[in-house]
């Protein structure tokens, strides 16, 4: 699967917005936090047409909002957060009956998928689809396709996550308790939804937040970038297959810094102590320089780098 539309998250967002005419913003409420043991109880999504003006705006085209009678009971914590109860949910169709509607909605052509902390929603939807022989393929879910029913559909779409954008663009001191959760980012922008933890309310709030964040990305994209010098390049493999990185030690005008290429997400990312590094340096040139140093012709080959290189 190749969903690499930009070498940084900022470029990813701006590039997919140029290539796709529609965006589907979606959210779920669930019985708990485990994709294995818990289930989706509410799915909400709105399909928007992307309007390209001085300020970003989305025009609603269609929406889907459905409640699901789950196979697992609501946990106390989930019920307290959402206000949903097993008794209330018992009046709605079960997952098997509702699933095709969600599948059809997310399968629409020429659409970006978008959410807030969407990795959680993707894992829950991915697990639900898997129970019926389908698979959602985004940068937040497994890349391998196996065990699918005959003629199964695999949904393969680029994703924009408002949470990732907010972490890059909004300082901790500007939001309550330093937390970039949706309610705090809405407050930062002066957005006042009618409550949270109803997935349709969260979808509409996410749409408003993402439009603001896209505008911030576009403003920063015109800043001149610094060309930096590479000091060393080091591969790193974590305990999970998703943790496969190549760290690059660089020399900038502000001193020695470090960033890494995430082989799973196919993007350059900054370390926690190098905030806003990716907005100030020429990452396109850095990537070219890294490939020249290691002798690779394609960035996908970086996952095979097996030793440290000092320049």
């Amino acid at each position: 699967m190749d969903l690499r539309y930009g070498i940084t998250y900022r470029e990813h967002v701006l590039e997919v917005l140029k290539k796709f005419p529609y965006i589907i913003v979606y959210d779920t409420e669930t019985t708990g936090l485990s994709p294995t043991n818990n289930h989706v109880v509410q799915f909400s999504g709105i399909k928007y047409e992307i309007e390209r003006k001085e300020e970003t705006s989305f025009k609603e085209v269609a929406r889907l909002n459905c409640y699901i009678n789950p196979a697992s009971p609501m946990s106390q914590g989930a019920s307290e957060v959402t206000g949903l109860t097993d008794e209330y949910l018992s009046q709605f169709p079960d997952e098997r009956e509702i699933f095709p509607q969600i599948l059809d909605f997310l399968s629409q052509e020429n659409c970006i998928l978008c959410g807030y902390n969407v990795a959680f929603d993707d894992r829950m939807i991915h697990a639900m689809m898997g129970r019926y022989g389908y698979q959602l393929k985004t940068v937040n879910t497994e890349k391998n396709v196996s065990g699918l029913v005959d003629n199964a559909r695999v949904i393969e779409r680029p994703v924009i996550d408002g949470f990732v954008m907010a972490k890059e663009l909004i300082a901790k001191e500007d939001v309550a308790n330093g937390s970039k959760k949706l309610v705090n980012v809405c407050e930062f922008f002066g957005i006042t939804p009618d409550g949270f933890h109803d997935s349709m309310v969260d979808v509409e709030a996410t749409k408003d937040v993402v439009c603001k964040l896209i505008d911030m990305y576009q403003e920063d994209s015109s800043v001149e970038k610094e060309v930096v010098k590479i000091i060393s390049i080091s591969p790193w493999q974590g305990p999970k297959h998703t943790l496969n990185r190549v760290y690059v030690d660089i020399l900038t005008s502000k001193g020695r810094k470090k960033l890494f290429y995430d082989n799973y997400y196919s993007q350059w990312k900054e370390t926690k102590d190098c905030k806003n590094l990716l907005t100030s340096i020429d990452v396109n040139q850095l990537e070219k320089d890294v490939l020249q140093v290691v002798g690779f012709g394609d960035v996908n080959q970086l996952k095979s780098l097996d030793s440290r290189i000092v320049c």
Side-chain angles (χ1 to χ4, degrees):
M1 178 179 65
D2 182 10
L3 296 178
R4 187 189 194 237
Y5 291 91
I7 67 173
T8 66
Y9 203 77
R10 178 187 308 265
E11 290 188 1
H12 164 78
V13 170
L14 296 180
E15 286 190 27
V16 295
L17 287 169
K18 293 177 183 176
K19 295 181 178 180
F20 292 83
Y22 300 102
I23 186 167
I24 294 175
V25 184
Y26 62 105
D27 186 60
T28 64
E29 302 299 341
T30 66
T31 61
L33 301 178
S34 169
T36 304
N37 301 317
N38 298 121
H39 296 78
V40 176
V41 294
Q42 184 186 9
F43 172 89
S44 300
I46 302 179
K47 178 182 179 180
Y48 297 98
E49 182 179 0
I50 301 169
E51 298 187 318
R52 310 178 195 284
K53 301 177 181 179
E54 290 185 6
E55 294 184 351
T56 304
S57 62
F58 298 154
K59 180 181 178 181
E60 182 174 335
V61 175
R63 66 169 58 198
L64 175 66
N65 186 40
C66 51
Y67 292 93
I68 302 170
N69 185 3
S72 60
M74 290 290 290
S75 66
Q76 182 177 348
S79 188
E80 289 174 353
V81 168
T82 64
L84 298 173
T85 64
D86 293 329
E87 181 180 4
Y88 176 76
L89 294 169
S90 65
Q91 66 184 297
F92 295 100
D94 62 19
E95 181 181 84
R96 181 179 292 276
E97 186 174 344
I98 291 292
F99 164 73
Q101 297 179 47
I102 298 173
L103 176 66
D104 288 343
F105 191 82
L106 292 176
S107 297
Q108 296 177 77
E109 295 295 328
N110 299 316
C111 290
I112 307 164
L113 300 183
C114 175
Y116 201 88
N117 195 17
V118 73
F120 170 76
D121 300 290
D122 279 2
R123 287 192 293 269
M124 297 301 297
I125 296 170
H126 177 74
M128 177 174 64
M129 290 185 175
R131 287 190 281 273
Y132 303 97
Y134 297 87
Q135 189 171 66
L136 172 69
K137 287 178 68 178
T138 71
V139 293
N140 302 308
T141 56
E142 297 295 332
K143 296 186 177 183
N144 296 325
V145 181
S146 60
L148 303 185
V149 297
D150 291 340
N151 301 317
R153 269 181 289 176
V154 177
I155 303 174
E156 187 170 342
R157 298 287 185 272
V159 174
I160 291 177
D161 192 335
F163 181 57
V164 175
M165 299 168 70
K167 287 196 297 182
E168 286 188 2
L169 293 168
I170 301 175
K172 285 186 176 182
E173 54 268 25
D174 290 337
V175 291
N177 302 316
S179 170
K180 309 295 176 58
K181 63 183 181 180
L182 183 59
V183 60
N184 292 343
V185 175
C186 281
E187 184 178 358
F188 171 80
F189 285 120
I191 298 167
T192 54
D194 185 18
F196 286 95
H197 297 300
D198 171 274
S199 58
M200 184 54 79
V201 173
D202 287 356
V203 163
E204 293 175 330
T206 296
K207 181 266 293 185
D208 291 338
V209 162
V210 167
C211 285
K212 297 286 189 182
L213 293 168
I214 289 169
D215 288 341
M216 292 176 71
Y217 268 169
Q218 290 174 331
E219 289 172 6
D220 289 344
S221 64
S222 62
V223 178
E224 186 176 350
K225 310 297 183 182
E226 177 186 0
V227 176
V228 299
K229 180 181 179 182
I230 299 172
I231 298 173
S232 65
I233 303 170
S234 306
W236 179 81
Q237 177 68 59
K240 299 180 179 179
H241 75 280
T242 56
L243 298 176
N244 185 317
R245 302 171 178 172
V246 174
Y247 281 89
V248 182
D249 203 4
I250 60 175
L251 184 63
T252 75
S253 60
K254 295 183 178 180
R256 194 164 176 166
K257 303 289 184 180
K258 182 174 287 189
L259 73 166
F260 63 91
Y261 184 77
D262 189 314
N263 283 304
Y264 183 74
Y265 289 98
S266 301
Q267 285 168 352
W268 287 95
K269 298 183 179 182
E270 57 200 13
T271 58
K272 291 182 179 180
D273 57 343
C274 292
K275 183 70 175 175
N276 298 322
L277 178 62
L278 291 174
T279 65
S280 62
I281 69 170
D282 188 335
V283 186
N284 288 279
Q285 185 60 51
L286 175 68
E287 182 175 293
K288 293 177 184 177
D289 293 342
V290 167
L291 292 177
Q292 183 177 18
V293 168
V294 299
F296 292 157
D298 186 275
V299 70
N300 291 320
Q301 294 177 275
L302 286 177
K303 62 174 64 71
S304 63
L305 186 67
D306 58 6
S307 61
R308 184 169 183 262
I309 299 174
V310 179
C311 300

